[in-house]
C-alpha cells in the first residue's frame, strides 16, 4: 500500500469584491484564496473537493463553467480521504469561515499530473453550484509537498446539482 500524504487546504475568503491577502502556507499545505461576493457568501454552505488525474489534458476554463459531475464520469475522480477517515471521489466540507479562513485536510494519492477542483456549494437541498476553483497539481510525493495556492473561485449562474455519485 502506498503512503498517502496529508495535504492541508487552507481556505480564505474575502467577503467583498476584490482580492484578499495571500494565505500563509507551509509544509504539506495547499493554500486557497477565495474571492466571494457578499450575496453569494450568504448562500455558501460547503466546499466539495475532487482530484482528477491527467491534469495537463484538462482545461480549467471549461471545468469551471458548470458542475464537475456533468463533465466527468464519477470513476475518473481519484479516491481521496478526509481527516475523519472518510474515503470518496468527492469530499464535502461544511463552510465554516472564521476570520476569512478555513483549513481542510485531504489525503491525495502519491502521483503526478493532477487537477484539484474545489466547488462552492449552496446551503439549499439539493445544493446548487456557486462556482469552482481549478488548480493544476504537478505532483504529490510521499514526503514533503510544496504548497499550492489555489485559484480564486469563479462565480457562475449555472443551475445544477453538484452532488457526486459515491
Amino acid at each position: 500500500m502506498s503512503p498517502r500524504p496529508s495535504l492541508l487546504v487552507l481556505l480564505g475568503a474575502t467577503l467583498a469584491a476584490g482580492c484578499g491577502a495571500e494565505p500563509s502556507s507551509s509544509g504539506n499545505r495547499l493554500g486557497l484564496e477565495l474571492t466571494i461576493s457578499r450575496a453569494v457568501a450568504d448562500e455558501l454552505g460547503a466546499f466539495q473537493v475532487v482530484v482528477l488525474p491527467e491534469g495537463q489534458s484538462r482545461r480549467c476554463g471549461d471545468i469551471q463553467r458548470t458542475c464537475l459531475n456533468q463533465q466527468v464520469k464519477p470513476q475518473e475522480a481519484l479516491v481521496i480521504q478526509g481527516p475523519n477517515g472518510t474515503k470518496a471521489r468527492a469530499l464535502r466540507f461544511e463552510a465554516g469561515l472564521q476570520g476569512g479562513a478555513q483549513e481542510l485536510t485531504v489525503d491525495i494519492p502519491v502521483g503526478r499530473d493532477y487537477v484539484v477542483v474545489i466547488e462552492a456549494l449552496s446551503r439549499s437541498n439539493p445544493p446548487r453550484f456557486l462556482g469552482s476553483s481549478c488548480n493544476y497539481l504537478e505532483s504529490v510525493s510521499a514526503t514533503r509537498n510544496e504548497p499550492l495556492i489555489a485559484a480564486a473561485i469563479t462565480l457562475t449562474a449555472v443551475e445544477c446539482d453538484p452532488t457526486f455519485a459515491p
Side-chain angles (χ1 to χ4, degrees):
M1 179 173 222
S2 65
R4 300 172 63 92
S6 179
L7 297 173
L8 186 66
V9 178
L10 175 64
L11 297 177
T14 302
L15 299 180
C19 294
E22 187 173 306
S24 61
S25 295
S26 63
N28 293 339
R29 293 182 181 183
L30 290 178
L32 173 62
E33 177 182 337
L34 302 176
T35 304
I36 302 173
S37 72
R38 290 184 202 282
V40 174
D42 292 340
E43 294 180 43
L44 182 62
F47 296 103
Q48 179 169 268
V49 179
V50 177
V51 179
L52 301 172
E54 302 171 8
Q56 292 301 316
S57 68
R58 301 181 191 272
R59 299 176 68 172
C60 277
D62 293 339
I63 287 173
Q64 292 175 282
R65 287 192 179 110
T66 189
C67 292
L68 184 63
N69 67 2
Q70 294 181 340
Q71 302 174 63
V72 300
K73 296 175 184 163
Q75 61 270 25
E76 285 182 65
L78 298 178
V79 174
I80 55 179
Q81 183 174 329
N84 61 358
T86 302
K87 293 182 181 181
R89 296 187 187 277
L91 292 178
R92 248 184 224 184
F93 298 90
E94 293 301 314
L97 300 173
Q98 295 178 0
Q102 180 173 342
E103 292 184 358
L104 308 174
T105 303
V106 179
D107 290 341
I108 298 175
V110 171
R112 302 182 62 76
D113 193 23
Y114 296 146
V115 168
V116 178
V117 179
I118 303 168
E119 294 180 306
L121 311 180
S122 71
R123 295 180 189 276
S124 60
N125 190 10
R128 288 183 306 109
F129 174 79
L130 298 178
S132 69
S133 171
C134 178
N135 309 274
Y136 294 108
L137 182 59
E138 187 176 314
S139 66
V140 175
S141 76
T143 59
R144 182 174 172 86
N145 292 289
E146 290 299 316
L148 170 68
I149 305 302
I153 285 189
T154 302
L155 299 176
T156 60
V158 176
E159 290 292 325
C160 61
D161 177 356
T163 304
F164 239 76

